[in-house]
Amino acid sequence: MTNNPGYQRGELTVHTDPAELARVTRALRATGRRVHLVPTMGALHRGHLELIKRAKDANVVVVVSIFVNPLQFGPNEDFDRYPRQFEADVEACREAGVDLVFAPTVDAMYGGGRELSVQAGPLGEELEGATRKGHFDGMLTVVLKLLNIVRPDLAFFGEKDYQQLVLIRKMARQFNLDSQIQGIPTVRESDGLALSSRNVYLDEEQRRAALVISASLTAGAHAAVGGPEAVLKAAREVLATESLVQLDYLELRDPELGPAPETGEARLLVAAKVGSTRLIDNAMVLLGE
């Protein structure tokens, strides 16, 4: 791993020091270039590459962060076995035309101790937060640090982690951050399975079973003309057809994850375990239409 203090257009450089990366991106902005950030935890797949593709533009420097953030993993979660493939990720970034990779160590990000952190508030204790205590506090803390280090004009996040996206947007508004938060639609396999770094944990039978998760969202969306109860009923019926899938929650909310409206745009969210692997997905539905 290198920590190249310079930057030449068209050449990928890898940085590990937050202060050095901040200096480089500040210098780039001073020349009139825009800076776009794609935060990741590595194990890059086509979903990440789509974020990078959306981030690229004329006169834009694309920064990809690769950092498995320990703060957003609970004591019984998969931090130790979370897939790590740094060299392959850097090569994928190079092929995708990324300009800067930021790959700090845990010590570089939190070496001085963590006496303060962002609090996600009531929404951080619902849905994913109900079973992953402290997850969103840790996620928001690292995202705030990344935004402050890189100071991007735009930061790109996938809609698959929809609650995360909503909370990051709330944080950006309430903390008056300069960076704009750009959500990108979920990237899926041809059979509908949402791309996730955790899909590698699924064996063949589990992967087949996991398809009912996206199928339940499709069924719910098709039933939207009947209103909220019809959406949830249709989705539950599909999920019930697969015994290998253990439902955690299935909920319909408004776009900001408040109570679902009777008509108009809403968001259908699902979380389930397939074997020991926890998967999430969501879809927009138009109630009454």
Side-chain angles (χ1 to χ4, degrees):
M1 185 184 302
T2 64
N3 191 39
N4 189 334
Y7 170 79
Q8 293 182 352
R9 189 72 179 171
E11 292 186 6
L12 175 69
T13 59
V14 179
H15 294 261
T16 60
D17 178 31
E20 186 57 48
L21 180 68
R23 185 193 68 78
V24 170
T25 55
R26 184 169 62 248
L28 289 167
R29 287 194 303 275
T31 68
R33 292 191 175 104
R34 290 170 60 81
V35 176
H36 289 177
L37 172 65
V38 179
T40 83
M41 292 205 300
L44 302 185
H45 50 63
R46 284 196 298 109
H48 297 113
L49 297 180
E50 180 64 21
L51 295 178
I52 293 169
K53 179 182 176 182
R54 298 292 189 97
K56 293 175 64 177
D57 203 348
N59 203 37
V60 164
V61 174
V62 178
V63 182
V64 171
S65 63
I66 298 175
F67 179 65
V68 184
N69 177 33
L71 299 190
Q72 62 196 76
F73 288 80
N76 298 315
E77 294 186 327
D78 58 348
F79 175 75
D80 289 334
R81 73 177 187 127
Y82 192 86
R84 293 165 170 85
Q85 50 185 48
F86 181 73
E87 297 301 330
D89 288 342
V90 171
E91 186 56 34
C93 286
R94 190 187 314 278
E95 293 178 0
V98 170
D99 300 289
L100 304 172
V101 167
F102 180 43
T105 63
V106 172
D107 187 62
M109 291 295 276
Y110 303 118
R114 185 175 63 92
E115 297 179 358
L116 300 174
S117 65
V118 180
Q119 301 298 307
L123 180 56
E125 299 177 359
E126 303 174 16
L127 300 168
E128 286 299 283
T131 55
R132 304 185 68 189
K133 300 298 184 182
H135 165 72
F136 288 116
D137 293 351
M139 178 277 296
L140 290 176
T141 298
V142 78
V143 170
L144 181 60
K145 287 177 71 70
L146 290 170
L147 294 176
N148 279 330
I149 291 165
V150 180
R151 298 295 175 96
D153 297 279
L154 285 174
F156 293 75
F157 296 86
E159 288 186 354
K160 186 184 78 68
D161 297 293
Y162 189 77
Q163 188 176 6
Q164 169 180 281
L165 176 61
V166 169
L167 284 166
I168 291 170
R169 283 175 168 160
K170 286 180 180 290
M171 178 179 70
R173 290 195 301 267
Q174 293 182 16
F175 288 2
N176 303 107
L177 302 180
D178 290 335
S179 302
Q180 296 182 36
I181 307 303
Q182 183 70 51
I184 301 300
T186 302
V187 179
R188 302 181 180 277
E189 299 284 5
S190 59
D191 55 12
L193 184 67
L195 291 179
S196 168
S197 298
R198 290 184 169 91
N199 289 350
V200 298
Y201 300 154
L202 302 172
D203 63 26
E204 185 175 347
E205 184 179 17
Q206 290 169 343
R207 193 196 178 287
R208 175 196 56 76
L211 296 179
V212 302
I213 295 174
S214 58
S216 73
L217 297 175
T218 300
H222 286 165
V225 67
E229 290 305 316
V231 169
L232 293 169
K233 180 175 183 292
R236 286 195 189 100
E237 288 176 350
V238 172
L239 289 164
T241 64
E242 183 48 74
S243 61
L244 291 180
V245 175
Q246 298 179 318
L247 182 63
D248 182 353
Y249 63 77
L250 175 73
E251 293 205 24
L252 190 66
R253 300 285 188 100
D254 74 10
E256 292 295 307
L257 298 183
E262 290 298 317
T263 60
E265 184 176 337
R267 186 67 55 158
L268 181 61
L269 306 104
V270 60
K273 272 195 170 183
V274 185
S276 62
T277 303
R278 193 168 186 279
L279 300 176
I280 61 174
D281 204 348
N282 69 86
M284 187 269 286
V285 298
L286 290 173
L287 297 169
E289 298 183 22

